Amino acid sequence: MGSLKQLIFLALILLLCPQRSQARTLGAVDQTMRQRYEQWMARYGRVYGSDLEKEKRFQIFKENAIRIDDFSQANEKPFKLALNKFADLTNEEFKSTYNRYKEHICSPQESFKYENITTVPSTMDWRKKGAVTPIKNQQQCGEYKVSELLPNCSRTLIDRVQNFAGCCWAFSAVAAVEGIHQISTGKLVSLSEQELVDCDIHGVDQGCQGGWMDSAFQFVKSHGLTTEASYPYKGVDGKCNIKEEANAAVHITGYQDVPANSETSLLKAAANQPVSVAIDAGDFNFQFYSSGVFTGPCGTELDHGVAVVGYGTDTDGTKYWLVKNSWGAEWGEQGYIRMQRDVSAKEGLCGIAMKASYPTA
Ligand SMILES: *[C@@H]1O[C@H](CO)[C@@H](O)[C@H](O)[C@H]1NC(C)=O
Ligand SMILES: *[C@@H]1O[C@H](CO)[C@@H](O)[C@H](O)[C@H]1NC(C)=O
């Protein structure tokens, strides 16, 4: 009847198939991963100096991809992760680029002018009020010079690593200055981070009284700030262009610190203008944040400067801060991240309420 042959054949298939298909699957997974890697490299224009480096970066990419896939499958958080331009960096490398943010002893600033405010709108989006310029990008320079980082804010090093935190303080401060300028004059003008990077040397070298953003505000208070158009962002080491430095388009009268560790105070300020904040952006989930309300986990080792440009409540009731980042529009929600607001820790999520400040018109 041939049925015995068939049976043996079937049994053989049953015996062999699991192994064979598993082997095929594993190979396929690796191949798919390599395809993803190639696609990712093409998308982000990534080129490596050697095959060795490419392979090393592939292993990191793979580990990140697997961890992100697991995160997505678990589906336990109200936010999503994605393989973005940081996909070939370990979290350690990503984090180590930030650790030059130093706490500085600040002399007390003027009083907090919003302290007696009793009512604020339930939601705010300064983009809709025309007070926020398009997302900017700290760009590429020195992306792989991680090992050259030193734990202080020497300018040459900042210039080399500005793809990450190097210039974040400038972008954070500029976003807040652009905001208050639009609110007080009705004109939205994109302003120059490069001028701060090139010319605000004293503040940084002298220890940035009150932190980098406050140092930037101090610079703008004494020099004004020119436009992005006339002093564009280069993302490389630059000598201060004294002619453009003298060509200020915007002035501020000063700056104030939001009382530390109070999300209520931060809310009062953010209801009235975009606010510069320092956060701990070193977590894996932050590195690969893609969308939704970010709930952490994250620490409070402040290492990144961003701007709160609004706040609101998600459909599921989670309150959030609307935060403008400077890693390009491809990161997060078109360059923004919504971070959970009114958390139990007084520092706020990722320390967002620890070191907030804003310029005054
Ligand atoms: C807030 O109110 C208190 C008490 O009336 C007052 O002393 C303080 O100056 C006010 N602060 C501001 C910034 O207006
Ligand atoms: C920065 O670090 C370098 C190397 O550790 C050191 O030589 C230099 O003095 C430091 N600069 C400051 C301002 O601390």
Side-chain angles (χ1 to χ4, degrees), residues 102 150-152 154:
K102 290 195 172 177
L150 296 172
N152 60 24
S154 140

mmCIF file with all atom_site columns, all heavy atoms in Angstrom, residues 102 150-152 154, ligand 2:
data_model
loop_
_atom_site.group_PDB
_atom_site.id
_atom_site.type_symbol
_atom_site.label_atom_id
_atom_site.label_alt_id
_atom_site.label_comp_id
_atom_site.label_asym_id
_atom_site.label_entity_id
_atom_site.label_seq_id
_atom_site.pdbx_PDB_ins_code
_atom_site.Cartn_x
_atom_site.Cartn_y
_atom_site.Cartn_z
_atom_site.occupancy
_atom_site.B_iso_or_equiv
_atom_site.pdbx_formal_charge
_atom_site.auth_seq_id
_atom_site.auth_comp_id
_atom_site.auth_asym_id
_atom_site.auth_atom_id
_atom_site.pdbx_PDB_model_num
ATOM   1  N N   . LYS A 1 102 ? 27.213 69.906 34.563 1.00 0.00 ? 102 LYS A N   1
ATOM   2  C CA  . LYS A 1 102 ? 27.614 70.058 35.951 1.00 0.00 ? 102 LYS A CA  1
ATOM   3  C C   . LYS A 1 102 ? 26.612 70.928 36.689 1.00 0.00 ? 102 LYS A C   1
ATOM   4  O O   . LYS A 1 102 ? 26.127 71.911 36.147 1.00 0.00 ? 102 LYS A O   1
ATOM   5  C CB  . LYS A 1 102 ? 28.996 70.706 36.029 1.00 0.00 ? 102 LYS A CB  1
ATOM   6  C CG  . LYS A 1 102 ? 30.100 69.792 35.563 1.00 0.00 ? 102 LYS A CG  1
ATOM   7  C CD  . LYS A 1 102 ? 31.438 70.326 36.004 1.00 0.00 ? 102 LYS A CD  1
ATOM   8  C CE  . LYS A 1 102 ? 32.536 69.305 35.703 1.00 0.00 ? 102 LYS A CE  1
ATOM   9  N NZ  . LYS A 1 102 ? 33.849 69.804 36.055 1.00 0.00 ? 102 LYS A NZ  1
ATOM   10 N N   . LEU A 1 150 ? 35.708 64.189 27.932 1.00 0.00 ? 150 LEU A N   1
ATOM   11 C CA  . LEU A 1 150 ? 36.295 64.365 29.247 1.00 0.00 ? 150 LEU A CA  1
ATOM   12 C C   . LEU A 1 150 ? 35.226 64.949 30.152 1.00 0.00 ? 150 LEU A C   1
ATOM   13 O O   . LEU A 1 150 ? 34.318 65.638 29.693 1.00 0.00 ? 150 LEU A O   1
ATOM   14 C CB  . LEU A 1 150 ? 37.487 65.315 29.159 1.00 0.00 ? 150 LEU A CB  1
ATOM   15 C CG  . LEU A 1 150 ? 38.648 64.803 28.320 1.00 0.00 ? 150 LEU A CG  1
ATOM   16 C CD1 . LEU A 1 150 ? 39.674 65.890 28.146 1.00 0.00 ? 150 LEU A CD1 1
ATOM   17 C CD2 . LEU A 1 150 ? 39.266 63.576 28.953 1.00 0.00 ? 150 LEU A CD2 1
ATOM   18 N N   . PRO A 1 151 ? 35.335 64.666 31.426 1.00 0.00 ? 151 PRO A N   1
ATOM   19 C CA  . PRO A 1 151 ? 34.253 65.045 32.324 1.00 0.00 ? 151 PRO A CA  1
ATOM   20 C C   . PRO A 1 151 ? 34.281 66.514 32.721 1.00 0.00 ? 151 PRO A C   1
ATOM   21 O O   . PRO A 1 151 ? 34.080 66.852 33.853 1.00 0.00 ? 151 PRO A O   1
ATOM   22 C CB  . PRO A 1 151 ? 34.495 64.150 33.534 1.00 0.00 ? 151 PRO A CB  1
ATOM   23 C CG  . PRO A 1 151 ? 35.964 63.955 33.540 1.00 0.00 ? 151 PRO A CG  1
ATOM   24 C CD  . PRO A 1 151 ? 36.402 63.959 32.113 1.00 0.00 ? 151 PRO A CD  1
ATOM   25 N N   . ASN A 1 152 ? 34.530 67.394 31.787 1.00 0.00 ? 152 ASN A N   1
ATOM   26 C CA  . ASN A 1 152 ? 34.358 68.803 32.108 1.00 0.00 ? 152 ASN A CA  1
ATOM   27 C C   . ASN A 1 152 ? 33.863 69.526 30.858 1.00 0.00 ? 152 ASN A C   1
ATOM   28 O O   . ASN A 1 152 ? 33.738 68.932 29.798 1.00 0.00 ? 152 ASN A O   1
ATOM   29 C CB  . ASN A 1 152 ? 35.651 69.407 32.662 1.00 0.00 ? 152 ASN A CB  1
ATOM   30 C CG  . ASN A 1 152 ? 36.797 69.305 31.679 1.00 0.00 ? 152 ASN A CG  1
ATOM   31 O OD1 . ASN A 1 152 ? 36.581 69.202 30.476 1.00 0.00 ? 152 ASN A OD1 1
ATOM   32 N ND2 . ASN A 1 152 ? 38.000 69.331 32.196 1.00 0.00 ? 152 ASN A ND2 1
ATOM   33 N N   . SER A 1 154 ? 35.043 71.598 28.658 1.00 0.00 ? 154 SER A N   1
ATOM   34 C CA  . SER A 1 154 ? 36.020 72.229 27.776 1.00 0.00 ? 154 SER A CA  1
ATOM   35 C C   . SER A 1 154 ? 35.382 72.455 26.407 1.00 0.00 ? 154 SER A C   1
ATOM   36 O O   . SER A 1 154 ? 34.694 71.589 25.885 1.00 0.00 ? 154 SER A O   1
ATOM   37 C CB  . SER A 1 154 ? 37.236 71.320 27.654 1.00 0.00 ? 154 SER A CB  1
ATOM   38 O OG  . SER A 1 154 ? 37.709 71.309 26.339 1.00 0.00 ? 154 SER A OG  1
HETATM 39 C C1  . LIG B 2 .   ? 39.279 69.340 31.852 1.00 0.00 ? 2   LIG B C1  1
HETATM 40 O O1  . LIG B 2 .   ? 39.842 68.066 31.860 1.00 0.00 ? 2   LIG B O1  1
HETATM 41 C C2  . LIG B 2 .   ? 41.180 68.032 31.390 1.00 0.00 ? 2   LIG B C2  1
HETATM 42 C C3  . LIG B 2 .   ? 41.611 66.594 31.342 1.00 0.00 ? 2   LIG B C3  1
HETATM 43 O O2  . LIG B 2 .   ? 41.154 65.887 32.449 1.00 0.00 ? 2   LIG B O2  1
HETATM 44 C C4  . LIG B 2 .   ? 42.060 68.859 32.317 1.00 0.00 ? 2   LIG B C4  1
HETATM 45 O O3  . LIG B 2 .   ? 43.362 68.877 31.821 1.00 0.00 ? 2   LIG B O3  1
HETATM 46 C C5  . LIG B 2 .   ? 41.538 70.256 32.367 1.00 0.00 ? 2   LIG B C5  1
HETATM 47 O O4  . LIG B 2 .   ? 42.266 71.006 33.296 1.00 0.00 ? 2   LIG B O4  1
HETATM 48 C C6  . LIG B 2 .   ? 40.063 70.263 32.764 1.00 0.00 ? 2   LIG B C6  1
HETATM 49 N N1  . LIG B 2 .   ? 39.554 71.607 32.676 1.00 0.00 ? 2   LIG B N1  1
HETATM 50 C C7  . LIG B 2 .   ? 38.816 72.144 33.629 1.00 0.00 ? 2   LIG B C7  1
HETATM 51 C C8  . LIG B 2 .   ? 38.338 73.521 33.378 1.00 0.00 ? 2   LIG B C8  1
HETATM 52 O O5  . LIG B 2 .   ? 38.507 71.542 34.639 1.00 0.00 ? 2   LIG B O5  1
#
